[in-house]
């Protein structure tokens, strides 16, 4: 993997901070941030380096060669940022979502719209396959956002599957892993397991996440190597379709209690002028513009520090 300076690794940690902040918000994927910050393909390649051949490399060539093959410095820098962000921002963003949802969603809406433009610019050729891929990606993502929430399930095989699907959503630009867990009905079980330190449940979900991460990363790697243009089009469509989930002005039709959290499970997007309450339109527009602008700033910084 490429040689980097300490400053470049610092920027990777900052990108990890941004990914962690996005993953904390249900409906926003850290994979989107990874993509527009220029590290998505390297992340997929690095995940694919995690296999049993590393043990052979360690035995025959030593720790240094194995670490280089793993791209360990990149992983440490990135996951350091993600960890710091999740631990430090989770409570703050949760509080903002509960008390100022319109403003938070407006910021992320602007951010995601800009992300769509950035990723679409990466598509080298707009042919029929790319257009169809974009449409199918958008339709699929929108369909996922409209699915009904399942009842809570504590079956161990189902929790393994939940972990696998959630981690796939996490690295796929568009919809967050937390939202997938809510749809599957395993959010409360996993949340309770974390709060009660249920090692068995956590281990099953973790094993599913590892399986899903390694399997899905291989699929994405193959797609980027063999059908990059089509893959970018599908990902662009997927993010486009997910915009319905993060539209700032909503009417909540149904909620469910997950532990100590009340989460809307059925919502209807409405015009800001039909919103029941203070639509905070001026502040919302300004924050959307801020989120939109930050993505282009982040892209410029990323291009200078790759």
């Amino acid at each position: 993997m490429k040689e980097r300076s300490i400053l470049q690794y610092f920027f990777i940690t900052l990108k990890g901070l941004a990914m962690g902040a996005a993953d904390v918000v249900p409906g926003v994927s850290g994979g989107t941030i990874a993509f527009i910050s220029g590290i998505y393909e390297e992340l997929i390649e690095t995940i694919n380096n995690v296999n049993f051949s590393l043990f052979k490399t360690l035995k025959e060539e030593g720790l240094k060669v194995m670490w280089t093959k793993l791209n360990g410095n990149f992983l440490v820098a990135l996951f350091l940022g993600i960890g710091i962000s999740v631990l430090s921002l989770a409570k703050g963003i949760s509080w903002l979502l509960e008390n100022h949802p319109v403003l938070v969603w407006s910021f992320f809406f602007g951010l995601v719209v800009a992300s769509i433009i950035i990723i679409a610019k990466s598509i080298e050729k707009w042919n029929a396959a790319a257009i169809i891929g974009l449409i199918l990606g958008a339709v699929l993502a929108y369909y996922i956002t409209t699915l009904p929430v399942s009842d809570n399930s504590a079956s161990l095989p189902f929790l393994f599957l939940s972990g696998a699907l959630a981690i796939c959503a996490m690295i796929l630009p568009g919809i967050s892993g937390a939202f997938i867990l809510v749809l599957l009905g395993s959010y409360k079980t996993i949340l309770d397991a974390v709060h009660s330190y249920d090692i068995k449940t956590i281990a099953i979900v973790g094993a599913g996440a590892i399986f899903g991460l390694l399997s899905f990363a291989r699929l994405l790697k193959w797609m980027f190597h063999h059908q990059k243009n089509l893959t970018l089009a599908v990902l662009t469509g997927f993010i486009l379709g997910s915009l319905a989930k993060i539209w700032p002005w909503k009417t909540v039709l149904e909620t469910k209690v997950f532990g100590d959290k009340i989460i809307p499970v059925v919502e209807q997007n409405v015009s800001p002028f039909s919103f029941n309450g203070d639509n905070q339109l001026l502040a919302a527009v300004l924050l959307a513009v801020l989120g939109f602008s930050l993505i282009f700033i982040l892209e410029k910084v990323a291009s200078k520090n790759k």
Side-chain angles (χ1 to χ4, degrees):
M1 291 293 178
K2 63 184 77 173
E3 293 290 330
R4 287 188 170 97
S5 66
I6 293 177
L7 180 61
Q8 288 173 316
Y9 281 117
F10 173 71
F11 276 108
I12 289 173
T13 300
L14 290 181
K15 293 170 185 179
L17 286 168
M19 286 178 64
D23 278 324
V24 167
V25 179
V28 181
S29 171
T32 303
I33 303 298
F35 203 107
I36 56 93
S37 63
I39 61 172
Y40 190 76
E41 288 189 61
E42 182 175 0
L43 176 59
I44 298 302
E45 292 277 355
T46 301
I47 292 171
N48 276 280
N49 290 339
V50 181
N51 52 52
F52 289 111
S53 69
L54 287 174
F55 295 105
K56 183 179 179 181
T57 303
L58 175 63
K59 182 179 179 180
E60 296 179 354
E61 302 180 62
L63 179 61
K64 184 176 180 181
V65 175
M66 185 213 73
W67 189 254
T68 302
K69 182 179 178 181
L70 176 63
N71 200 14
N73 289 342
F74 170 82
L75 284 178
V76 169
L78 184 67
F79 282 100
L80 175 65
I82 293 173
I84 291 173
S85 185
V86 170
L87 293 174
S88 60
L89 296 178
K91 288 187 177 180
I93 291 181
S94 295
W95 183 87
L96 287 171
L97 281 170
E98 290 177 9
N99 295 277
H100 302 283
V102 170
L103 300 183
V104 176
W105 290 123
S106 296
F107 174 79
F108 278 101
F109 192 86
L111 184 149
V112 173
V113 168
S115 301
I116 294 170
I117 296 173
I118 296 295
I119 298 176
K121 283 167 57 181
S122 302
I123 300 173
E124 296 178 355
K125 186 178 181 181
W126 281 101
N127 52 24
I131 294 172
I132 293 171
L134 184 143
I135 293 172
L136 290 177
V139 170
L140 177 61
Y142 179 77
Y143 173 71
I144 291 173
T145 67
T146 63
L147 289 174
V149 175
S150 300
D151 292 331
N152 192 53
S153 175
S155 162
L156 293 182
F158 188 78
L159 289 174
F160 180 90
L161 177 64
S162 296
L165 292 176
I167 201 69
C168 289
M170 257 181 166
I171 63 172
L172 187 68
I175 297 173
S176 72
F179 178 65
I180 295 299
L181 292 178
V182 171
L183 285 179
L184 292 173
S186 51
Y187 185 87
K188 183 180 185 299
T189 299
I190 296 172
L191 191 69
D192 290 344
V194 172
H195 287 167
S196 62
Y197 301 102
D198 182 347
I199 303 301
K200 181 180 179 181
T201 299
I202 294 172
I204 291 294
V205 175
I210 293 171
F211 174 80
L213 184 64
L214 297 179
S215 303
F216 193 57
R218 279 163 174 71
L219 173 61
L220 285 175
K221 178 182 178 180
W222 185 91
M223 291 177 68
F224 270 106
H225 282 188
H226 295 88
Q227 296 288 341
K228 184 174 182 178
N229 205 64
L230 177 60
T231 302
L232 289 172
V234 172
L235 292 179
T236 302
F238 206 80
I239 301 173
L240 179 65
S242 72
L243 281 176
K245 178 64 181 172
I246 56 174
W247 176 252
W249 296 278
K250 299 177 182 293
T251 297
V252 178
L253 303 178
E254 183 182 340
T255 62
K256 282 195 175 183
V257 178
F258 295 96
D260 57 352
K261 294 184 178 181
I262 300 176
I263 296 181
V265 293
V266 180
E267 297 175 300
Q268 181 180 6
N269 291 334
V270 297
S271 160
F273 304 105
S274 303
F275 183 68
N276 185 20
D278 183 5
N279 61 19
Q280 301 174 281
L281 187 58
L282 178 59
V285 170
L286 291 175
L287 281 168
V289 171
L290 175 62
F292 187 91
S293 303
L294 280 177
I295 289 300
F296 287 95
I297 294 171
L298 182 58
E299 185 209 17
K300 286 186 177 181
V301 171
S303 63
K304 292 179 180 179
N305 294 279
K306 285 183 179 179

